[in-house]
Amino acid sequence: MNFQQLRSVRETVRRGFNLTEVANALHTSQPGVSRQIRELEDELGIELFVRAGKRLTGLTPPGAQVLPIIERILLDAENLRRAGEDYAQQSSGKLAIATTHSQARYALPAAVSDFRKRYPQVTLNLHQGSPAQVAQMLLAGEADIGIATEALSRYEELVALPCYRWTHCVIVPPGHELLDGQPLTLERLAKHPIVTYDVGYTGRTHIDEAFARAGLHPDIVLTAMDADVIKTYVELGLGIGIVASIAYDEERDRHLRSLDARHLFAVNMTRLAIRRGAYLKTYVYGFIEAFAPPLTRAVVERALKAEPGEHFEI
């Protein structure tokens, strides 16, 4: 039994049983992948995959039982390698962060700046995507840390820790009728075309839920993944915008005005996630604390040791 055999099995499942893609991912040949799988099956005395001719179509029941063990062995091997690197190189290496555009644009800059001053020899790689994509990058080992508002706490394989709470605001052009000083209500918002986040991004679920509870059907004319795009189209007069409050800056957004909407939509929580059971290098803890000071190394280590389903709040 060897790690290449285990990687072949894990990657086969991740790539939807497409051995050509598996071979490309592992930098080998398709016959080589098939051979590695067969050798492992022969050693274990069971078939891991359902076959249709030469094609693999799914996991057998024994394969479904073995797969979590394989993933755990490979994760432990990666942790062992990282532990050695951590002690050999305490302040250098790479840190991959998966996050949404809004977090990268508005929430991360201060933490990144502080981190770079403390660990100048660490290379930071920012990967942007939807909350679901952030979770998948973590699960695939493509990122060390994931930061997003939604989705991260839904995966048992991840430890999702709370970072900070935030609310939404409504943005409009100067002179808009919503700036008349009257109370801001969902009914008033629903009378205007709305530009806001795409489904699954930056608290959009709470926006939809608020209108649904009020029995309203807002005219959402455009959705986008980030606030900069939303603000651009509000400036063009396409509609009013609903964005995260942190995305509005009075000095930078001089051509827009903001109205506090915290009383209309539920409070949102940004969470930081890591793979359950992962070994984190010293500088990873340093970044986590730079981004969310309450998440000290002791707190994160306690969370990593907790059972799935146990929640941590701040």
Side-chain angles (χ1 to χ4, degrees):
M1 188 182 302
N2 59 60
F3 286 120
Q4 190 64 12
Q5 293 170 346
L6 302 181
R7 292 189 189 98
S8 295
V9 172
R10 181 183 67 179
E11 204 63 34
T12 297
V13 177
R14 287 182 175 178
R15 304 286 170 171
F17 309 101
N18 186 322
L19 294 187
T20 300
E21 292 186 7
V22 175
N24 291 335
L26 297 179
H27 307 291
T28 185
S29 65
Q30 185 173 332
V33 172
S34 297
R35 185 180 66 256
Q36 295 286 352
I37 292 173
R38 273 299 186 191
E39 287 175 354
L40 180 61
E41 288 179 324
D42 290 343
E43 185 165 350
L44 296 177
I46 56 175
E47 287 198 346
L48 301 175
F49 295 100
V50 177
R51 289 172 170 82
K54 294 183 178 180
R55 292 191 305 111
L56 304 184
T57 60
L59 283 168
T60 63
Q65 292 290 320
V66 167
L67 181 62
I69 301 173
I70 291 175
E71 290 178 333
R72 190 161 59 246
I73 291 171
L74 291 174
L75 178 58
D76 285 343
E78 176 66 13
N79 287 342
L80 182 62
R81 182 184 66 79
R82 292 189 177 195
E85 290 177 352
D86 197 17
Y87 283 101
Q89 299 178 327
Q90 289 286 334
S91 58
S92 64
K94 294 181 180 180
L95 174 58
I97 302 170
T99 188
T100 61
H101 175 90
S102 292
Q103 299 296 330
R105 174 68 178 83
Y106 301 106
L108 281 175
V112 169
S113 179
D114 291 344
F115 178 81
R116 287 290 301 151
K117 293 174 184 175
R118 186 176 175 186
Y119 296 98
Q121 292 180 293
V122 175
T123 301
L124 278 172
N125 295 320
L126 286 179
H127 306 285
Q128 295 181 42
S130 68
Q133 289 170 332
V134 169
Q136 289 304 320
M137 282 186 269
L138 280 171
L139 294 173
E142 298 169 2
D144 303 297
I145 294 173
I147 299 172
T149 299
E150 301 173 20
L152 297 184
S153 60
R154 302 171 191 164
Y155 295 82
E156 283 195 355
E157 303 96 323
L158 301 179
V159 176
L161 299 168
C163 296
Y164 66 91
R165 296 178 175 88
W166 57 271
T167 57
H168 286 101
C169 69
V170 174
I171 53 171
V172 297
H176 194 277
E177 63 180 82
L178 289 177
L179 298 171
D180 59 8
Q182 297 298 313
L184 190 65
T185 65
L186 291 172
E187 288 75 14
R188 295 189 72 193
L189 295 184
K191 293 178 181 178
H192 301 275
I194 293 173
V195 184
T196 191
Y197 297 106
D198 198 0
V199 173
Y201 283 81
T202 322
R204 171 64 189 276
T205 300
H206 289 162
I207 295 172
D208 293 341
E209 289 174 349
F211 282 113
R213 283 195 301 269
L216 298 170
H217 302 281
D219 180 19
I220 297 178
V221 295
L222 187 144
T223 64
M225 294 184 291
D226 65 82
D228 289 340
V229 174
I230 294 170
K231 289 186 286 188
T232 295
Y233 284 97
V234 172
E235 285 189 37
L236 291 174
L238 198 67
I240 62 173
I242 303 176
V243 299
S245 296
I246 59 171
Y248 176 80
D249 181 271
E250 188 173 351
E251 179 62 28
R252 185 180 61 240
D253 300 317
R254 290 190 297 258
H255 301 298
L256 295 170
R257 301 293 181 266
S258 173
L259 294 162
D260 189 355
R262 72 182 67 193
H263 60 293
L264 300 180
F265 308 112
V267 173
N268 303 276
M269 175 67 78
T270 289
R271 294 183 181 275
L272 181 148
I274 44 188
R275 280 181 296 168
R276 191 175 300 279
Y279 178 88
L280 303 184
K281 293 186 177 182
T282 299
Y283 58 74
V284 179
Y285 288 105
F287 182 87
I288 293 173
E289 193 164 353
F291 180 69
L295 299 182
T296 62
R297 180 165 186 159
V299 170
V300 175
E301 288 179 340
R302 181 164 59 89
L304 284 170
K305 295 175 182 177
E307 293 296 322
E310 185 174 344
H311 294 286
F312 292 81
E313 298 299 335
I314 58 172

